[in-house]
Coordinates of all heavy atoms in Angstrom, one line a residue:
M28 N 22.0 -110.0 -133.3 CA 22.3 -109.3 -132.1 C 21.4 -108.1 -131.9 O 21.2 -107.6 -130.8 CB 23.7 -109.0 -132.0 CG 24.1 -108.4 -130.6 SD 25.9 -108.3 -130.3 CE 26.3 -106.8 -131.1
S29 N 20.9 -107.5 -133.0 CA 20.1 -106.3 -132.9 C 18.8 -106.5 -132.1 O 18.2 -105.6 -131.6 CB 19.8 -105.8 -134.3 OG 19.0 -106.7 -135.0
N30 N 18.3 -107.8 -132.0 CA 17.1 -108.0 -131.3 C 17.3 -108.3 -129.8 O 16.4 -108.8 -129.1 CB 16.2 -109.1 -131.9 CG 17.0 -110.4 -132.0 OD1 18.2 -110.5 -131.8 ND2 16.3 -111.5 -132.4
I31 N 18.5 -108.0 -129.3 CA 18.8 -108.1 -127.9 C 18.5 -106.8 -127.2 O 19.0 -105.8 -127.6 CB 20.3 -108.5 -127.6 CG1 20.7 -109.8 -128.4 CG2 20.6 -108.6 -126.1 CD1 20.0 -111.0 -127.9
E32 N 17.7 -106.9 -126.1 CA 17.4 -105.7 -125.4 C 18.1 -105.7 -124.0 O 18.1 -106.8 -123.4 CB 15.9 -105.6 -125.1 CG 15.0 -105.5 -126.3 CD 13.5 -105.6 -126.0 OE1 13.1 -105.1 -124.9 OE2 12.8 -106.3 -126.8
I33 N 18.7 -104.6 -123.6 CA 19.4 -104.5 -122.3 C 18.5 -103.6 -121.5 O 18.1 -102.5 -121.9 CB 20.8 -104.0 -122.4 CG1 21.6 -104.8 -123.4 CG2 21.5 -103.9 -121.1 CD1 21.9 -106.2 -123.1
S34 N 18.2 -104.0 -120.2 CA 17.4 -103.2 -119.4 C 17.9 -103.3 -117.9 O 18.4 -104.3 -117.5 CB 15.9 -103.7 -119.4 OG 15.1 -103.0 -118.5
V35 N 17.6 -102.2 -117.2 CA 17.9 -102.2 -115.7 C 16.6 -102.4 -114.9 O 16.6 -102.4 -113.7 CB 18.6 -100.9 -115.3 CG1 19.9 -100.8 -115.9 CG2 17.8 -99.7 -115.6
E36 N 15.4 -102.4 -115.6 CA 14.2 -102.5 -114.9 C 14.1 -103.9 -114.3 O 14.1 -104.9 -114.9 CB 13.0 -102.3 -115.9 CG 11.7 -102.3 -115.2 CD 10.5 -102.1 -116.1 OE1 10.7 -102.0 -117.4 OE2 9.4 -102.0 -115.6
L37 N 13.9 -103.9 -113.0 CA 13.8 -105.2 -112.2 C 12.3 -105.7 -112.3 O 11.5 -105.5 -111.4 CB 14.2 -105.1 -110.8 CG 15.7 -105.2 -110.5 CD1 15.9 -105.1 -109.0 CD2 16.2 -106.5 -111.0
V38 N 12.0 -106.3 -113.4 CA 10.7 -106.9 -113.6 C 10.6 -108.3 -113.0 O 11.7 -108.9 -112.8 CB 10.3 -106.9 -115.1 CG1 10.2 -105.5 -115.6 CG2 11.3 -107.7 -115.9
P39 N 9.4 -108.8 -112.7 CA 9.4 -110.2 -112.2 C 10.0 -111.2 -113.1 O 9.9 -111.1 -114.3 CB 7.9 -110.4 -112.1 CG 7.3 -109.1 -111.9 CD 8.1 -108.1 -112.7
G40 N 10.8 -112.0 -112.5 CA 11.5 -113.1 -113.3 C 13.0 -112.8 -113.4 O 13.8 -113.8 -113.6
V41 N 13.5 -111.6 -113.4 CA 14.9 -111.3 -113.6 C 15.7 -111.9 -112.5 O 16.7 -112.6 -112.8 CB 15.1 -109.7 -113.6 CG1 16.6 -109.4 -113.6 CG2 14.5 -109.1 -114.8
L42 N 15.4 -111.8 -111.2 CA 16.2 -112.3 -110.2 C 16.2 -113.8 -110.2 O 17.3 -114.5 -110.1 CB 15.7 -111.8 -108.8 CG 15.7 -110.3 -108.6 CD1 15.1 -109.9 -107.3 CD2 17.1 -109.7 -108.9
G43 N 15.0 -114.4 -110.4 CA 14.9 -115.9 -110.4 C 15.7 -116.5 -111.6 O 16.4 -117.5 -111.4
R44 N 15.7 -115.8 -112.7 CA 16.4 -116.3 -113.9 C 17.9 -116.2 -113.7 O 18.7 -117.1 -114.1 CB 15.9 -115.5 -115.1 CG 16.6 -116.0 -116.4 CD 16.1 -117.3 -116.9 NE 16.6 -117.6 -118.2 CZ 17.4 -118.6 -118.5 NH1 17.6 -119.6 -117.6 NH2 17.9 -118.8 -119.7
L45 N 18.3 -115.1 -113.1 CA 19.7 -114.9 -112.8 C 20.2 -116.0 -111.9 O 21.3 -116.6 -112.2 CB 19.9 -113.5 -112.1 CG 21.3 -113.0 -111.8 CD1 21.3 -111.5 -111.6 CD2 21.9 -113.7 -110.6
V46 N 19.5 -116.3 -110.9 CA 19.9 -117.4 -110.0 C 19.8 -118.8 -110.7 O 20.8 -119.6 -110.6 CB 18.9 -117.5 -108.7 CG1 19.2 -118.7 -107.9 CG2 19.1 -116.2 -107.9
E47 N 18.8 -119.0 -111.5 CA 18.7 -120.3 -112.3 C 19.9 -120.5 -113.2 O 20.5 -121.6 -113.2 CB 17.4 -120.3 -113.1 CG 17.3 -121.5 -114.0 CD 16.2 -121.4 -115.0 OE1 15.9 -120.3 -115.5 OE2 15.6 -122.5 -115.3
M48 N 20.3 -119.4 -113.9 CA 21.4 -119.6 -114.9 C 22.7 -119.9 -114.1 O 23.5 -120.8 -114.5 CB 21.6 -118.3 -115.7 CG 20.5 -118.1 -116.8 SD 20.8 -116.7 -117.9 CE 20.4 -115.3 -116.8
H49 N 22.9 -119.3 -112.9 CA 24.1 -119.6 -112.1 C 24.0 -121.0 -111.6 O 25.0 -121.8 -111.7 CB 24.2 -118.6 -110.9 CG 24.9 -117.4 -111.3 ND1 24.3 -116.4 -112.0 CD2 26.2 -117.0 -111.1 CE1 25.2 -115.4 -112.2 NE2 26.4 -115.8 -111.6
A50 N 22.9 -121.4 -111.1 CA 22.7 -122.8 -110.6 C 23.0 -123.8 -111.6 O 23.7 -124.8 -111.4 CB 21.3 -123.0 -110.0
L51 N 22.4 -123.7 -112.8 CA 22.6 -124.7 -113.9 C 24.1 -124.7 -114.4 O 24.6 -125.8 -114.5 CB 21.7 -124.4 -115.0 CG 20.2 -124.6 -114.7 CD1 19.3 -124.1 -115.9 CD2 19.9 -126.0 -114.3
Y52 N 24.7 -123.6 -114.6 CA 26.0 -123.5 -115.1 C 27.0 -124.1 -114.1 O 27.8 -125.0 -114.4 CB 26.4 -122.1 -115.4 CG 27.9 -122.0 -115.8 CD1 28.3 -122.3 -117.1 CD2 28.8 -121.6 -114.8 CE1 29.6 -122.2 -117.4 CE2 30.2 -121.5 -115.2 CZ 30.6 -121.8 -116.5 OH 31.9 -121.8 -116.8
Y53 N 26.9 -123.7 -112.8 CA 27.9 -124.2 -111.8 C 27.6 -125.6 -111.4 O 28.6 -126.3 -111.0 CB 27.9 -123.2 -110.6 CG 28.7 -122.0 -110.9 CD1 28.0 -120.8 -111.4 CD2 30.1 -122.0 -110.9 CE1 28.8 -119.7 -111.7 CE2 30.8 -120.8 -111.2 CZ 30.1 -119.7 -111.6 OH 30.9 -118.6 -112.0
A54 N 26.4 -126.1 -111.5 CA 26.2 -127.5 -111.3 C 26.8 -128.4 -112.4 O 27.5 -129.4 -112.1 CB 24.7 -127.8 -111.2
R55 N 26.6 -128.0 -113.6 CA 27.2 -128.7 -114.7 C 28.7 -128.6 -114.8 O 29.4 -129.6 -115.0 CB 26.6 -128.2 -116.0 CG 27.1 -128.9 -117.3 CD 26.6 -128.3 -118.6 NE 27.1 -127.0 -118.8 CZ 26.5 -125.9 -118.9 NH1 25.2 -125.9 -118.7 NH2 27.1 -124.7 -119.1
E56 N 29.3 -127.4 -114.6 CA 30.7 -127.3 -114.8 C 31.6 -127.6 -113.6 O 32.7 -128.0 -113.7 CB 31.0 -125.8 -115.2 CG 30.4 -125.4 -116.6 CD 30.9 -126.3 -117.7 OE1 32.1 -126.6 -117.7 OE2 30.2 -126.5 -118.7
W57 N 31.0 -127.4 -112.4 CA 31.8 -127.6 -111.2 C 31.2 -128.5 -110.1 O 31.7 -128.7 -109.1 CB 32.0 -126.2 -110.5 CG 32.7 -125.3 -111.5 CD1 32.2 -124.3 -112.3 CD2 34.1 -125.3 -111.7 NE1 33.2 -123.7 -113.0 CE2 34.4 -124.3 -112.7 CE3 35.2 -126.0 -111.2 CZ2 35.7 -124.0 -113.2 CZ3 36.5 -125.7 -111.7 CH2 36.7 -124.8 -112.6
G58 N 30.0 -129.0 -110.4 CA 29.4 -130.0 -109.5 C 28.7 -129.3 -108.3 O 28.4 -130.0 -107.3
F59 N 28.5 -128.0 -108.3 CA 27.9 -127.3 -107.2 C 26.4 -127.7 -107.1 O 25.8 -128.0 -108.2 CB 28.0 -125.8 -107.4 CG 29.4 -125.3 -107.2 CD1 30.5 -126.1 -107.1 CD2 29.6 -123.9 -107.3 CE1 31.8 -125.5 -106.9 CE2 30.9 -123.4 -107.2 CZ 31.9 -124.2 -107.0
G60 N 25.8 -127.7 -105.9 CA 24.5 -128.2 -105.8 C 23.6 -127.1 -105.1 O 23.8 -125.9 -105.3
P61 N 22.6 -127.6 -104.4 CA 21.6 -126.7 -103.8 C 22.2 -125.6 -102.9 O 21.6 -124.5 -102.7 CB 20.6 -127.6 -103.1 CG 20.8 -128.9 -103.8 CD 22.2 -129.0 -104.3
F62 N 23.2 -126.0 -102.2 CA 23.9 -125.0 -101.3 C 24.3 -123.8 -102.0 O 24.0 -122.6 -101.6 CB 25.0 -125.6 -100.5 CG 25.8 -124.6 -99.7 CD1 25.3 -124.2 -98.4 CD2 26.9 -124.0 -100.1 CE1 25.9 -123.3 -97.6 CE2 27.6 -123.0 -99.4 CZ 27.1 -122.7 -98.1
F63 N 25.0 -124.0 -103.2 CA 25.4 -122.9 -104.0 C 24.2 -122.1 -104.5 O 24.2 -120.8 -104.5 CB 26.3 -123.3 -105.1 CG 26.7 -122.2 -106.1 CD1 27.7 -121.4 -105.7 CD2 26.1 -122.1 -107.3 CE1 28.1 -120.3 -106.5 CE2 26.5 -121.1 -108.1 CZ 27.5 -120.2 -107.8
E64 N 23.2 -122.8 -105.0 CA 22.1 -122.1 -105.6 C 21.4 -121.2 -104.5 O 21.0 -120.1 -104.7 CB 21.1 -123.1 -106.1 CG 19.8 -122.4 -106.8 CD 18.9 -123.4 -107.4 OE1 19.2 -124.7 -107.3 OE2 17.9 -123.0 -108.0
S65 N 21.3 -121.7 -103.3 CA 20.6 -121.0 -102.2 C 21.5 -119.8 -101.8 O 21.0 -118.7 -101.4 CB 20.3 -121.9 -101.0 OG 21.5 -122.3 -100.4
K66 N 22.8 -119.9 -101.8 CA 23.7 -118.8 -101.5 C 23.6 -117.7 -102.5 O 23.5 -116.5 -102.2 CB 25.2 -119.3 -101.5 CG 26.2 -118.3 -101.2 CD 27.6 -118.9 -101.1 CE 28.7 -117.9 -101.0 NZ 28.5 -116.8 -100.2
V67 N 23.5 -118.1 -103.8 CA 23.4 -117.0 -104.9 C 22.0 -116.4 -104.7 O 21.9 -115.1 -104.7 CB 23.5 -117.6 -106.3 CG1 23.1 -116.6 -107.3 CG2 24.9 -118.1 -106.5
A68 N 21.0 -117.2 -104.4 CA 19.6 -116.6 -104.3 C 19.6 -115.6 -103.1 O 19.0 -114.5 -103.2 CB 18.6 -117.7 -104.1
R69 N 20.2 -116.0 -102.0 CA 20.2 -115.2 -100.8 C 20.9 -113.9 -101.1 O 20.4 -112.8 -100.8 CB 20.8 -115.9 -99.7 CG 20.8 -115.2 -98.3 CD 21.3 -116.1 -97.2 NE 22.6 -116.8 -97.5 CZ 22.6 -118.1 -97.8 NH1 21.6 -118.9 -97.8 NH2 23.8 -118.7 -98.0
E70 N 22.1 -114.0 -101.7 CA 22.9 -112.8 -102.0 C 22.2 -111.8 -103.0 O 22.3 -110.6 -102.9 CB 24.3 -113.2 -102.4 CG 25.1 -113.8 -101.2 CD 26.5 -114.2 -101.6 OE1 26.9 -114.1 -102.8 OE2 27.2 -114.8 -100.8
V71 N 21.7 -112.4 -104.0 CA 21.0 -111.6 -105.1 C 19.8 -110.9 -104.4 O 19.5 -109.8 -104.7 CB 20.6 -112.5 -106.3 CG1 19.6 -111.8 -107.2 CG2 21.8 -112.9 -107.1
G72 N 19.0 -111.7 -103.6 CA 17.9 -111.1 -103.0 C 18.2 -109.9 -102.0 O 17.6 -108.9 -102.0
E73 N 19.3 -110.1 -101.3 CA 19.8 -109.1 -100.4 C 20.2 -107.8 -101.2 O 19.9 -106.7 -100.8 CB 21.0 -109.6 -99.6 CG 21.6 -108.5 -98.6 CD 22.8 -109.1 -98.0 OE1 22.7 -110.1 -97.3 OE2 23.9 -108.4 -98.2
F74 N 20.9 -108.1 -102.3 CA 21.4 -107.0 -103.1 C 20.2 -106.2 -103.7 O 20.1 -105.0 -103.7 CB 22.3 -107.5 -104.2 CG 22.8 -106.5 -105.2 CD1 23.8 -105.6 -104.9 CD2 22.2 -106.4 -106.5 CE1 24.2 -104.7 -105.8 CE2 22.6 -105.5 -107.4 CZ 23.6 -104.6 -107.1
A75 N 19.3 -107.0 -104.3 CA 18.1 -106.4 -104.9 C 17.3 -105.6 -104.0 O 16.7 -104.5 -104.3 CB 17.2 -107.4 -105.6
S76 N 17.2 -106.0 -102.7 CA 16.4 -105.2 -101.7 C 17.0 -103.9 -101.4 O 16.4 -103.0 -100.8 CB 16.2 -106.1 -100.5 OG 17.4 -106.2 -99.7
S77 N 18.3 -103.7 -101.7 CA 19.0 -102.4 -101.5 C 18.8 -101.4 -102.7 O 19.2 -100.3 -102.6 CB 20.5 -102.6 -101.2 OG 21.2 -102.9 -102.4
L78 N 18.2 -101.9 -103.7 CA 18.0 -101.1 -104.9 C 16.8 -100.2 -104.8 O 15.8 -100.6 -104.1 CB 18.0 -101.9 -106.2 CG 19.2 -102.8 -106.5 CD1 19.0 -103.6 -107.7 CD2 20.5 -101.9 -106.6
P79 N 16.6 -99.1 -105.5 CA 17.6 -98.5 -106.4 C 18.6 -97.7 -105.6 O 18.4 -97.2 -104.6 CB 16.7 -97.6 -107.2 CG 15.6 -97.2 -106.3 CD 15.4 -98.4 -105.4
R80 N 19.8 -97.7 -106.2 CA 21.0 -97.0 -105.6 C 21.8 -96.5 -106.8 O 21.9 -97.1 -107.9 CB 21.9 -97.9 -104.8 CG 21.3 -98.4 -103.5 CD 22.3 -99.4 -102.9 NE 23.6 -98.8 -102.7 CZ 24.1 -98.4 -101.6 NH1 23.4 -98.6 -100.5 NH2 25.3 -97.9 -101.5
A81 N 22.4 -95.3 -106.7 CA 23.1 -94.7 -107.7 C 24.4 -95.5 -108.0 O 24.9 -95.5 -109.1 CB 23.5 -93.3 -107.4
D82 N 24.9 -96.2 -107.0 CA 26.2 -96.9 -107.2 C 26.0 -98.4 -107.4 O 27.0 -99.2 -107.5 CB 27.1 -96.7 -105.9 CG 26.4 -97.3 -104.7 OD1 25.3 -97.7 -104.7 OD2 27.1 -97.2 -103.6
S83 N 24.8 -98.9 -107.6 CA 24.6 -100.3 -107.8 C 23.4 -100.6 -108.7 O 22.4 -99.8 -108.7 CB 24.3 -101.0 -106.4 OG 25.3 -100.8 -105.5
Q84 N 23.5 -101.6 -109.5 CA 22.4 -101.9 -110.4 C 22.5 -103.3 -111.0 O 23.6 -103.9 -111.0 CB 22.5 -100.9 -111.6 CG 21.3 -100.9 -112.5 CD 20.0 -100.6 -111.7 OE1 19.2 -101.5 -111.4 NE2 19.7 -99.4 -111.4
I85 N 21.4 -103.9 -111.4 CA 21.4 -105.2 -112.2 C 20.9 -104.9 -113.6 O 19.8 -104.2 -113.7 CB 20.5 -106.2 -111.5 CG1 21.0 -106.6 -110.1 CG2 20.3 -107.4 -112.4 CD1 20.0 -107.5 -109.3
W86 N 21.6 -105.3 -114.5 CA 21.2 -105.2 -115.9 C 20.9 -106.6 -116.4 O 21.5 -107.6 -116.0 CB 22.3 -104.7 -116.8 CG 22.6 -103.2 -116.6 CD1 22.2 -102.2 -117.4 CD2 23.5 -102.7 -115.7 NE1 22.7 -101.0 -116.9 CE2 23.5 -101.3 -115.8 CE3 24.3 -103.2 -114.6 CZ2 24.3 -100.4 -115.1 CZ3 25.0 -102.4 -113.8 CH2 25.0 -101.0 -114.0
H87 N 19.9 -106.7 -117.3 CA 19.6 -108.0 -117.9 C 19.4 -107.9 -119.4 O 19.1 -106.8 -119.9 CB 18.4 -108.7 -117.2 CG 17.1 -108.0 -117.5 ND1 16.7 -106.9 -116.8 CD2 16.1 -108.3 -118.4 CE1 15.5 -106.6 -117.2 NE2 15.1 -107.4 -118.2
A88 N 19.7 -109.0 -120.1 CA 19.5 -109.0 -121.6 C 18.4 -109.9 -121.9 O 18.2 -111.0 -121.3 CB 20.8 -109.6 -122.2
R89 N 17.5 -109.5 -122.8 CA 16.4 -110.2 -123.3 C 16.5 -110.4 -124.8 O 16.8 -109.5 -125.5 CB 15.1 -109.5 -123.0 CG 14.7 -109.5 -121.6 CD 13.3 -108.8 -121.5 NE 12.9 -108.8 -120.1 CZ 12.1 -109.7 -119.6 NH1 11.6 -110.7 -120.3 NH2 11.7 -109.6 -118.3
K90 N 16.0 -111.6 -125.2 CA 15.9 -111.9 -126.6 C 14.5 -112.5 -126.8 O 14.2 -113.5 -126.1 CB 17.0 -112.8 -127.1 CG 16.9 -113.1 -128.6 CD 18.0 -114.0 -129.1 CE 17.8 -114.2 -130.6 NZ 18.9 -115.0 -131.1
D91 N 13.7 -112.0 -127.6 CA 12.4 -112.5 -127.8 C 11.6 -112.7 -126.5 O 10.9 -113.7 -126.3 CB 12.4 -113.8 -128.6 CG 13.1 -113.7 -130.0 OD1 13.0 -112.6 -130.6 OD2 13.8 -114.6 -130.4
G92 N 11.8 -111.7 -125.6 CA 11.1 -111.7 -124.3 C 11.6 -112.6 -123.3 O 11.2 -112.6 -122.1
R93 N 12.7 -113.4 -123.6 CA 13.3 -114.3 -122.6 C 14.6 -113.7 -122.1 O 15.4 -113.2 -122.9 CB 13.6 -115.6 -123.3 CG 14.3 -116.7 -122.5 CD 14.2 -118.0 -123.1 NE 15.2 -119.0 -122.7 CZ 15.2 -119.5 -121.5 NH1 14.3 -119.2 -120.6 NH2 16.1 -120.4 -121.1
I94 N 14.8 -113.8 -120.8 CA 16.0 -113.3 -120.2 C 17.1 -114.3 -120.5 O 17.1 -115.5 -120.2 CB 15.8 -113.2 -118.6 CG1 14.7 -112.2 -118.3 CG2 17.2 -112.8 -118.0 CD1 14.2 -112.2 -116.9
I95 N 18.2 -113.8 -121.2 CA 19.3 -114.6 -121.6 C 20.6 -114.3 -120.9 O 21.6 -115.0 -121.2 CB 19.4 -114.6 -123.1 CG1 19.8 -113.1 -123.6 CG2 18.2 -115.1 -123.8 CD1 20.3 -113.0 -125.0
G96 N 20.6 -113.3 -120.1 CA 21.8 -112.9 -119.4 C 21.6 -111.8 -118.4 O 20.6 -111.2 -118.4
A97 N 22.6 -111.7 -117.5 CA 22.5 -110.7 -116.5 C 23.9 -110.3 -116.0 O 24.9 -111.1 -116.1 CB 21.7 -111.1 -115.3
I98 N 24.0 -109.1 -115.4 CA 25.2 -108.6 -114.7 C 24.8 -107.6 -113.7 O 23.8 -107.0 -113.8 CB 26.2 -108.0 -115.8 CG1 27.6 -107.8 -115.2 CG2 25.6 -106.7 -116.4 CD1 28.6 -107.3 -116.3
A99 N 25.6 -107.5 -112.7 CA 25.4 -106.5 -111.6 C 26.7 -105.8 -111.3 O 27.8 -106.4 -111.4 CB 24.8 -107.2 -110.4
I100 N 26.5 -104.5 -110.9 CA 27.6 -103.7 -110.4 C 27.2 -103.4 -108.9 O 26.1 -102.8 -108.7 CB 27.9 -102.4 -111.2 CG1 28.3 -102.7 -112.6 CG2 28.9 -101.6 -110.4 CD1 29.6 -103.5 -112.8
D101 N 28.0 -103.8 -108.0 CA 27.7 -103.6 -106.6 C 28.7 -102.6 -106.0 O 29.8 -102.9 -105.8 CB 27.8 -105.0 -105.9 CG 27.5 -104.9 -104.4 OD1 27.2 -103.8 -103.9 OD2 27.4 -106.0 -103.8
G102 N 28.2 -101.4 -105.8 CA 29.0 -100.3 -105.2 C 28.8 -100.1 -103.8 O 29.2 -99.1 -103.2
R103 N 28.0 -101.0 -103.1 CA 27.7 -100.7 -101.7 C 28.9 -100.6 -100.8 O 28.9 -99.9 -99.9 CB 26.8 -101.9 -101.2 CG 25.4 -101.9 -101.9 CD 24.6 -103.1 -101.4 NE 25.3 -104.3 -101.8 CZ 24.9 -105.5 -101.5 NH1 23.8 -105.7 -100.7 NH2 25.5 -106.6 -101.8
N104 N 29.9 -101.4 -101.1 CA 31.2 -101.3 -100.3 C 32.4 -101.0 -101.2 O 33.5 -101.5 -101.0 CB 31.4 -102.6 -99.6 CG 30.3 -103.0 -98.6 OD1 29.9 -102.1 -97.8 ND2 29.7 -104.2 -98.7
A105 N 32.1 -100.1 -102.1 CA 33.2 -99.8 -103.1 C 34.4 -99.1 -102.4 O 34.2 -98.4 -101.4 CB 32.7 -98.8 -104.2
S106 N 35.5 -99.4 -102.9 CA 36.8 -98.8 -102.4 C 37.3 -97.9 -103.5 O 36.7 -97.7 -104.5 CB 37.8 -99.9 -102.1 OG 38.2 -100.5 -103.4
A107 N 38.5 -97.3 -103.2 CA 39.1 -96.5 -104.2 C 39.3 -97.2 -105.5 O 39.4 -96.6 -106.6 CB 40.4 -95.9 -103.7
A108 N 39.4 -98.5 -105.4 CA 39.7 -99.3 -106.6 C 38.4 -99.5 -107.5 O 38.5 -99.9 -108.6 CB 40.2 -100.7 -106.2
G109 N 37.3 -99.2 -106.9 CA 36.0 -99.3 -107.7 C 35.0 -100.2 -107.0 O 35.2 -100.8 -105.9
A110 N 33.9 -100.5 -107.8 CA 32.8 -101.3 -107.4 C 33.1 -102.8 -107.7 O 34.1 -103.1 -108.4 CB 31.5 -100.8 -108.0
H111 N 32.2 -103.6 -107.4 CA 32.4 -105.1 -107.5 C 31.4 -105.5 -108.7 O 30.2 -105.3 -108.6 CB 32.0 -105.7 -106.2 CG 32.2 -107.2 -106.2 ND1 31.8 -108.0 -105.1 CD2 32.8 -108.1 -107.0 CE1 32.1 -109.2 -105.3 NE2 32.7 -109.3 -106.5
L112 N 32.0 -106.2 -109.7 CA 31.2 -106.8 -110.7 C 30.7 -108.1 -110.2 O 31.5 -108.9 -109.8 CB 32.0 -106.9 -112.0 CG 31.2 -107.4 -113.2 CD1 31.8 -106.8 -114.5 CD2 31.3 -108.9 -113.3
R113 N 29.4 -108.4 -110.3 CA 28.8 -109.6 -109.8 C 27.8 -110.3 -110.7 O 27.2 -109.6 -111.5 CB 28.1 -109.4 -108.4 CG 29.0 -108.7 -107.4 CD 28.4 -108.6 -106.1 NE 28.4 -109.9 -105.4 CZ 27.8 -110.2 -104.3 NH1 27.2 -109.2 -103.6 NH2 27.9 -111.4 -103.8
W114 N 27.7 -111.5 -110.6 CA 26.6 -112.3 -111.3 C 26.6 -112.1 -112.8 O 25.5 -112.1 -113.3 CB 25.3 -112.1 -110.6 CG 25.3 -112.3 -109.1 CD1 25.6 -113.4 -108.5 CD2 25.0 -111.3 -108.1 NE1 25.6 -113.2 -107.1 CE2 25.2 -111.9 -106.9 CE3 24.6 -110.0 -108.2 CZ2 25.0 -111.3 -105.7 CZ3 24.4 -109.3 -107.0 CH2 24.6 -110.0 -105.7
F115 N 27.7 -112.1 -113.4 CA 27.7 -112.0 -114.8 C 27.5 -113.4 -115.4 O 28.3 -114.3 -115.1 CB 29.1 -111.4 -115.3 CG 29.2 -111.3 -116.8 CD1 28.2 -110.8 -117.6 CD2 30.4 -111.6 -117.4 CE1 28.4 -110.7 -119.0 CE2 30.6 -111.5 -118.7 CZ 29.6 -111.0 -119.5
I116 N 26.5 -113.6 -116.1 CA 26.1 -114.9 -116.6 C 25.3 -114.8 -117.9 O 24.5 -113.8 -118.1 CB 25.3 -115.7 -115.5 CG1 25.2 -117.2 -115.9 CG2 24.0 -115.1 -115.2 CD1 26.3 -118.0 -115.5
L117 N 25.5 -115.7 -118.8 CA 24.6 -115.8 -120.0 C 24.1 -117.2 -120.1 O 24.7 -118.2 -119.7 CB 25.5 -115.6 -121.2 CG 26.0 -114.2 -121.5 CD1 26.9 -114.2 -122.7 CD2 24.8 -113.2 -121.7
D118 N 22.9 -117.3 -120.6 CA 22.3 -118.6 -121.0 C 23.2 -119.3 -122.0 O 23.9 -118.7 -122.8 CB 20.9 -118.4 -121.6 CG 20.2 -119.6 -121.9 OD1 19.6 -120.2 -121.0 OD2 20.3 -120.1 -123.1
D119 N 23.3 -120.6 -121.9 CA 24.2 -121.4 -122.8 C 24.0 -121.0 -124.2 O 24.9 -120.9 -125.0 CB 24.0 -122.9 -122.6 CG 24.5 -123.4 -121.2 OD1 25.3 -122.6 -120.6 OD2 24.1 -124.4 -120.8
A120 N 22.7 -120.9 -124.6 CA 22.4 -120.6 -126.0 C 22.8 -119.2 -126.5 O 22.9 -119.0 -127.7 CB 20.9 -120.9 -126.3
A121 N 23.0 -118.3 -125.5 CA 23.4 -116.9 -125.9 C 24.9 -116.7 -126.0 O 25.3 -115.6 -126.4 CB 22.8 -116.0 -124.8
R122 N 25.7 -117.6 -125.6 CA 27.1 -117.4 -125.6 C 27.6 -117.3 -127.0 O 27.2 -118.1 -127.9 CB 27.8 -118.6 -124.8 CG 27.5 -118.5 -123.4 CD 28.4 -119.3 -122.5 NE 28.2 -119.0 -121.1 CZ 27.4 -119.9 -120.4 NH1 27.0 -121.0 -120.8 NH2 27.2 -119.5 -119.1
G123 N 28.6 -116.4 -127.2 CA 29.2 -116.3 -128.5 C 28.5 -115.4 -129.5 O 28.9 -115.1 -130.6
G124 N 27.3 -114.8 -129.0 CA 26.6 -113.9 -129.9 C 26.7 -112.5 -129.7 O 26.0 -111.7 -130.3
G125 N 27.5 -112.0 -128.7 CA 27.7 -110.6 -128.5 C 26.8 -110.1 -127.3 O 27.0 -108.9 -126.9
S126 N 25.9 -110.9 -126.7 CA 25.1 -110.4 -125.6 C 26.0 -110.1 -124.4 O 25.7 -109.1 -123.7 CB 24.1 -111.5 -125.2 OG 23.3 -111.8 -126.3
G127 N 27.0 -110.9 -124.1 CA 27.8 -110.7 -123.0 C 28.6 -109.4 -123.1 O 28.7 -108.6 -122.2
A128 N 29.1 -109.1 -124.3 CA 29.8 -107.8 -124.5 C 28.9 -106.6 -124.4 O 29.3 -105.6 -123.8 CB 30.4 -107.8 -125.9
R129 N 27.6 -106.8 -124.8 CA 26.7 -105.7 -124.6 C 26.4 -105.5 -123.2 O 26.2 -104.3 -122.7 CB 25.4 -106.0 -125.4 CG 25.6 -105.9 -126.9 CD 24.5 -105.5 -127.8 NE 23.6 -104.5 -127.3 CZ 22.3 -104.6 -127.5 NH1 21.8 -105.5 -128.2 NH2 21.5 -103.6 -127.0
L130 N 26.3 -106.5 -122.4 CA 26.0 -106.4 -120.9 C 27.2 -105.7 -120.3 O 27.1 -104.8 -119.4 CB 25.8 -107.7 -120.3 CG 24.4 -108.3 -120.4 CD1 24.3 -109.7 -120.0 CD2 23.3 -107.4 -119.6
L131 N 28.4 -106.1 -120.7 CA 29.6 -105.4 -120.1 C 29.7 -104.0 -120.5 O 30.2 -103.2 -119.7 CB 30.9 -106.2 -120.5 CG 31.1 -107.5 -119.8 CD1 32.2 -108.3 -120.5 CD2 31.4 -107.3 -118.4
D132 N 29.3 -103.6 -121.7 CA 29.3 -102.2 -122.1 C 28.4 -101.4 -121.2 O 28.7 -100.3 -120.9 CB 28.9 -102.0 -123.5 CG 30.0 -102.4 -124.5 OD1 31.2 -102.6 -124.1 OD2 29.7 -102.6 -125.7

């Protein structure tokens, strides 16, 4: 787990990989198709275009240079209850190794 890097830098590939992980997971587990993938892509793109913001951010986890997970906090419409946690996902191979816990931290 020590070779996992967590970053907020939106480098090329982060958004696409976030969308890809969602599309693959939800297709396999729930039978979702291209409509879902395009919805996630549209929403992630809209969110990313509003960054940088003090109340919103996307974090991603990398292992050996490969993006293995992501999470976002969306505070654009936050209420007294707080901001919205969005797009928390890990690559299948990264599950169970602590990367998700590090992203949540």
